[in-house]
Amino acid sequence: MGAARTAFARANARAGVLVAIAAVVLLLSGLSTAVIDALAGSSTSGLRSGLSSAQGAAGAARWQIRVAQDPEAQADAAASVLDRMITPYHASWSRSIETAPVDATSDGAAFGAVLLADPGAAARSELVEGSWPDDPAAVAAAESDAAEPATLHAAAAESLGLAPGDVVELAGASARRLLVVGTWLPLEPSDPAWFGEGVVATGATADGAGPFLVAESSTLDLPAAIVVRWTAVVDPAAVTPDSARLLRSELPDVEPALRAEPAIGTDGLSAVGGLQATLSRLLAGLGAVRAIAPLPLLLLAFTGFAALTRLAMLLGSARRGETVLLRARGASSARLAGDTAIEVLVLGVPAAILGAVAAEAVLMAVRPGEARSPGTAVVVASVVVVGTLLVVAGRAWLDARRPVVRGSGDEVGRVARGLATGGGVLLVVLAAVAVWQFRLYGSPLVASASGTMEVDPIAVLAPMLVLVALAFAALWLMRPIDALLERMAATRPGLVPSLPMRQLARRASLYAAASLVTMLAVAGLTLSAAFSGAWQGIDRTASALATGGEVRVAYAGRDVVQGPDPLALDDGLDGLDGITAEGPVFRGEVRIGSEQATVVALPAGEADRVAPGTGAAGGAAALDESAADAGTPVPEGTAALEVAVALDAPAGTGGAVAVNAWFLTGSGAATPVTPVPVGVAEGGGAVRLDVPDAEGLRFIGLDASLSGAAGADVLVSFGAITLDGASVAGPGFEVEREHLLTSKSPTALATLTEGGSDPLPVVLGADLAKRISAGIGDAFAFRVLTGGAEVDAVVAGVIPVVPTAGDDGVLADLAALERYAFDADAGVPAFGERWIATSEPERLAADLDRAHGSTVTADARSAASSAPFIAPAIAVLWVGAGGALLFALISVVALVAALGASRFGEIVVLRALGVPARTQSRARIAELAVTLGTAVVIGAIVGLATALLTARELARAAVADVPAAVPVEFAVDPAPWLLGIAAFLALAAVIAGGAAASVRAIASRPGLRQEEG
């Protein structure tokens, strides 16, 4: 018989084992390809979705400076820098010029006009009426009227009473006329290209209105600050992780590069925007995925190649007689190993290709639209085939080199034992080093020299190395455990359980491979469950802290309270179901000396309801007293507030004084009412102000504003306040009596003489308290950038994290802060958010987005979750654990086959000694049950021990920007774990039942002789 026919005959005789090897190759190639490509695709998708959801300044970078004397040269210099540093990384930039409010009049009405020259504005907007300023007809109409064409924001046009055809006169030495040729509205004010500018969203600023879209030449040489801005945004559809990393590294260098250009100038050049922070956050999520990715891959690799090793040993054992015969007839060990290698290639290459192709097909069906890399499948399939070739052909070569061995062939010689022991010791040392590194950093992620988070190549291996080392240690302990079980079983009568326990104790090496793979698989499943449980807990906490309420509603364009605030009196939530609590929240930047922080002001008494799960309620309790003192309660049902006003001014002084009253709503939002003018020439009179129809109103003071007095000073005196024209309000309504209004200070606030908190009690985040060395009872000062209030504060408490502000936040009661800003004669901050507690956050957020359009952004906590990055990683971790369980089942099948081949004679002897077939069958089931049951229990213990060492740190690494003060609780995700264990045990029971049935059938055969095996 020729060599080829001999090789084919040998392969055909062991087709079952070879098919099992091919099945392992198919699974290992397919699952590994799926894991790698799924993580790569989900990482890119998560990055793109994160950039798509970034709104306003969070999704853009901006560099701005005053317009230079030569705007064209300035523009060219900036373009050369930005084209070089921004454009190559799937980012684009646009140039615009905006003016500060310019004194303007129209039909005698004075206002501040904000002008904007932005060539890309029309593409991001819609015309409400008229035409754009560059329309030829509009240009011609303006020229005929000796004016410049301008398209005005529709909301500003409504508030100013302007319409197309009206003319606006701009003041200054370079006075010019603007002809309103149309009105416009932004399509999406939250588009990062608009940079979240309030004037774009609402058409108004604190002292102006607009923008008037005009040509660039119309913005120059005006008596106001004229700023040129370059705004960069990223194309989410094209960005990749690599381009995002490169862009993030370039952004800090753009400002110095612009400064180096003489044509741009250096006076006031600044870099603003949150694009760099957004990229850092998203790339941290990618880093977390990279930190988790090795777990399923290593688990699949260890269990898959352990199963291949078991099958290779089974193949060698089955061919031992053939090997001895062929060696005796002159076949070389290299030839025999080569024949096995050809078998592996013939079956393994198609299996590996099929597995990789199937994985790609499944991913395309399950996650369409994600980018796929064919190279990944090729590399994975090649590695699996080469690894299988080394394992199976290498084992065949060793068997051929030592053709005659004792027993079944499962025992190994001294050299092999020495190599195994040395390998085990090396594994323990590597695991110890990796764990030390892991615990040193507290994470597989470490900060690089540039400040970015990178995966440490040693620490990232710690979880799997610990798991494998503990599994091998447990395997070494199996022999004494089996010996103990043997002694315990020997004390009981009957062959069962003593016979199977004796087999386990005396032939432990035969069961070692299946036990090891089972332990690794169950340990991997347990580690996956612990990591998933810990991640879910910290992700819930981090999402709550990032969002505040279960739904956070953000209102565009709110700054300081300038007039009656409809949002303070009407929350806009009528008709929406599932809302259990809601409250207005102001969130803004503050300065504490040179330190920057974020103040969060909410209704302190409602913190536990509007911000559940954030831990804010405990700290907010310390603010209850300041909340109670924030204003004087107004009796329910009060319709009007009346106050006597006396005006003293030089004779002949014209103009009027507008008198207004300020209130706090029950939730702490400040709002004035509609002012009532009193003519200066009239000398005063009784002023009746309508009180808003709202529950829980509190009065905080009056204000008076002078207009049209032609430079004269007017003394305003307030008398007693009455409610509804009959009852005297009482001492809680006493205000400061006299106020001098001048042309330079035309507004004055009449604050209450009682109540209020000075200093203002606040609660600090733990890190901020540490940085400014402040403890409970300590005083400090900060300035609120919105409105400019200078606040003297006292620390009423310290909490780990202030919701939405992190561990460097300041928590205050909203009403107390509003009252303090009013008393300080500063701008009263308008709340910009509303936090809502609801049973259906995703549905409510969608309903709010539909109901309010682009002026409102509603986010459920799920929007802040790390799930877009981590959920796919956990899914592939479960896939890896499931694949490991499949390899464990294959190892069990190989074990059953090995037992059937090596113990046929034993069945004959026991049958001859009178042992019934049923007893032998029960003994075989008992052996397998004890082997797998023990392996499952030990695997669960190994996985739990590994999880206790690493799961919480992995979970923290998986959620970007979680303050260190936030604890990670140890938890287990039970459902997938129970499902995996139950499925494994059920299938293992089927395999064991089949093995037992085979033993029973053989032992029941009459006239059975050993040579028949």
Side-chain angles (χ1 to χ4, degrees), residues 561-606:
V561 180
Q562 302 177 60
D565 187 356
L567 285 178
L569 301 172
D570 181 6
D571 55 26
L573 303 178
D574 290 343
L576 297 175
D577 299 327
I579 296 175
T580 57
E582 59 83 21
V585 178
F586 168 73
R587 188 161 61 94
E589 289 187 18
V590 299
R591 292 287 189 273
I592 307 172
S594 60
E595 295 284 347
Q596 179 177 332
T598 301
V599 64
V600 176
L602 48 71
E606 295 291 308

Side-chain angles (χ1 to χ4, degrees), residues 630-631 662-664 698-702 750-752 818-819 822-823:
W662 283 71
F663 297 90
L664 298 174
R698 287 172 284 176
F699 177 68
I700 60 172
L702 302 171
T751 59
L752 294 176
E818 301 280 67
R819 165 74 185 275
F822 181 83
D823 288 353

Side-chain angles (χ1 to χ4, degrees), residues 95-117:
R95 177 177 176 270
S96 62
I97 295 177
E98 185 176 279
T99 70
V102 182
D103 290 338
T105 58
S106 179
D107 289 336
F111 60 93
V114 176
L115 276 60
L116 173 64

Side-chain angles (χ1 to χ4, degrees), residues 639-724:
L641 179 150
E642 295 182 354
V643 60
V645 179
L647 303 178
D648 185 10
T653 301
V657 173
V659 178
N660 207 340
W662 283 71
F663 297 90
L664 298 174
T665 65
S667 55
T671 180
V673 298
T674 302
V676 174
V678 179
V680 174
E682 298 173 9
V687 174
R688 186 181 187 275
L689 299 166
D690 293 332
V691 175
D693 182 13
E695 297 181 358
L697 279 182
R698 287 172 284 176
F699 177 68
I700 60 172
L702 302 171
D703 78 17
S705 179
L706 176 65
S707 62
D713 295 346
V714 178
L715 179 65
V716 180
S717 300
F718 292 110
I721 293 175
T722 61
L723 303 177
D724 287 339

Side-chain angles (χ1 to χ4, degrees), residues 189-216:
S190 60
D191 186 337
W194 290 120
F195 209 70
E197 288 188 273
V199 68
V200 171
T202 65
T205 64
D207 50 1
F212 289 81
L213 290 181
V214 296
E216 180 175 328

Side-chain angles (χ1 to χ4, degrees), residues 785-808:
L785 298 191
T786 303
E790 299 285 348
V791 180
D792 291 322
V794 61
V795 180
V798 177
I799 58 177
V801 178
V802 174
T804 71
D807 52 9
D808 61 349

